[in-house]
């Protein structure tokens, strides 16, 4: 996946996880609460991966631009 799709998937998983966790708390369902917390954590990791990919891509582009400028 690209950085944008990783970020989008991460944000979506975080949102769905928060919702599941909230519903689990509201109805007293510990399994749903735990599932929501796990999905939210997965989303945070996905977003971090997307952020890292984006940072690497930006650094690579800046380096290539600097090299091309010096040629």
């Amino acid at each position: 996946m690209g950085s944008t799709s990783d970020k989008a998937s991460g944000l979506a998983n975080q949102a769905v996880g928060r919702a599941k966790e909230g519903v689990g708390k509201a109805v007293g369902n510990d399994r749903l609460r735990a599932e929501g917390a796990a999905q939210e954590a997965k989303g945070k990791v996905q977003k971090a991966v997307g952020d890292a990919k984006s940072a690497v891509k930006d650094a690579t582009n800046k380096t290539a631009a600097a090299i091309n400028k010096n040629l």
Side-chain angles (χ1 to χ4, degrees):
M1 270 197 259
S3 64
T4 303
S5 59
D6 282 329
K7 289 179 191 179
S9 293
L11 290 172
N13 271 320
Q14 282 180 295
V16 171
R18 266 189 243 116
K20 281 182 181 180
E21 194 172 4
V23 170
K25 283 181 185 177
V27 299
N29 186 329
D30 290 336
R31 184 189 60 79
L32 188 58
R33 231 172 110 188
E35 188 178 304
Q39 189 166 359
E40 186 175 359
K42 176 184 174 185
K44 287 179 183 179
V45 170
Q46 278 180 312
K47 186 178 178 305
V49 167
D51 290 340
K53 284 181 180 179
S54 183
V56 168
K57 183 178 178 183
D58 290 344
T60 302
N61 288 339
K62 286 179 184 177
T63 302
I67 290 170
N68 286 333
K69 185 177 180 181
N70 291 329
L71 292 179

